[in-house]
Amino acid sequence: KNQVEQSPQSLIILEGKNCTLQCNYTVSPFSNLRWYKQDTGRGPVSLTIMTFSENTKSNGRYTATLDADTKQSSLHITASQLSDSASYICVVSARSGGSYIPTFGRGTSLIVHP
Amino acid sequence: DVKVTQSSRYLVKRTGEKVFLECVQDMDHENMFWYRQDPGLGLRLIYFSYDVKMKEKGDIPEGYSVSREKKERFSLILESASTNQTSMYLCASSLPMDYGYTFGSGTRLTVV
């Protein structure tokens, strides 16, 4: 069964600090991995998308890494801001025939304190 | 700016009512999805559609039905709302080749 595990479940940091969120997956055959940011009460918004051949991708202060051998990804947030407080969701897609089946992680809840 | 629009942000309904949640996308996407999101459980797929008038069951279809009469519109129907259907409902759309999902802002449904 395809699974995506995220850690930690929740995280509290001070404004200006860096943090790293983890995503481990057992999804096969792998198609791509995405990180989404979801503000409270809103829908998820895509941050990054990585395919098998990519091992790092940045979007401003967000940097995602992918190790396809160990099936691990991380999302690093640099110089955190109060607006980074949100849930971060890792989504891994498997290719099934002509379809792509996403498996969602349960998310990491990040709180940035002033 | 491309959009997935859900008709209501907040909805309160009574047990037994028939509830319609509407979703419209302006990106000409073939694929549309309905998820529910509950604390500690993440997003769970209810139904999806790869084309007009077609639908496929997701992981938790019981108690729900869907309708896709036009490409841009995907409706989720709760035939007889129950309190355990109180949740955040998210609609999403995508192109066939899995270039990523665009989500709506969500509808927080409370069934009392």
Side-chain angles (χ1 to χ4, degrees):
Chain A
K1 182 182 177 182
N2 290 335
Q3 285 189 313
V4 175
E5 300 287 342
Q6 291 188 242
S7 62
Q9 190 173 1
S10 61
L11 183 61
I12 301 174
I13 61 173
L14 292 175
E15 187 179 11
K17 299 295 186 182
N18 304 334
C19 67
T20 300
L21 314 180
Q22 299 290 344
C23 173
N24 297 339
Y25 62 92
T26 54
V27 173
S28 182
F30 177 87
S31 173
N32 60 62
L33 184 148
R34 308 188 196 94
W35 284 93
Y36 285 86
K37 178 187 179 189
Q38 185 178 20
D39 293 317
T40 302
R42 310 293 297 189
V45 174
S46 180
L47 292 174
T48 64
I49 177 170
M50 289 185 290
T51 59
F52 186 86
S53 59
E54 298 172 297
N55 56 22
T56 187
K57 185 164 278 190
S58 292
N59 178 358
R61 295 180 297 102
Y62 301 100
T63 300
T65 64
L66 174 63
D67 186 333
D69 291 331
T70 61
K71 299 187 177 182
Q72 295 180 327
S73 175
S74 64
L75 180 69
H76 186 75
I77 304 174
T78 304
S80 61
Q81 300 176 357
L82 298 180
S83 59
D84 292 330
S85 296
S87 179
Y88 292 84
I89 302 171
C90 176
V91 184
V92 185
S93 285
R95 183 160 187 170
S96 176
S99 303
Y100 295 85
I101 310 299
T103 301
F104 287 79
R106 296 184 179 185
T108 292
S109 175
L110 174 66
I111 298 173
V112 181
H113 278 313
Chain B
D1 196 17
V2 295
K3 273 189 179 176
V4 175
T5 303
Q6 294 184 229
S7 54
S8 304
R9 288 291 310 280
Y10 300 96
L11 213 51
V12 179
K13 295 293 182 181
R14 294 192 181 278
T15 302
E17 274 193 80
K18 190 169 187 177
V19 181
F20 293 86
L21 303 184
E22 304 287 344
C23 176
V24 177
Q25 51 98 358
D26 64 1
M27 296 165 285
D28 202 33
H29 283 175
E30 282 79 3
N31 303 339
M32 296 189 75
F33 308 83
W34 274 106
Y35 291 90
R36 66 176 282 176
Q37 186 177 32
D38 301 288
L41 296 179
L43 276 80
R44 294 180 291 167
L45 181 63
I46 305 171
Y47 268 97
F48 60 98
S49 168
Y50 286 152
D51 202 352
V52 177
K53 293 194 184 293
M54 75 139 295
K55 58 187 178 184
E56 295 284 345
K57 292 180 180 179
D59 299 320
I60 51 165
E62 296 79 18
Y64 304 94
S65 63
V66 289
S67 171
R68 193 162 180 205
E69 296 296 320
K70 293 183 178 181
K71 188 176 185 180
E72 66 270 18
R73 187 181 295 270
F74 193 35
S75 303
L76 180 69
I77 303 156
L78 286 66
E79 295 289 343
S80 178
S82 63
T83 55
N84 63 14
Q85 292 178 310
T86 292
S87 185
M88 169 73 123
Y89 289 87
L90 288 162
C91 175
S93 71
S94 75
L95 289 167
M97 294 306 292
D98 194 36
Y99 289 127
Y101 305 93
T102 300
F103 284 89
S105 295
T107 296
R108 183 161 295 282
L109 172 67
T110 302
V111 182
V112 297

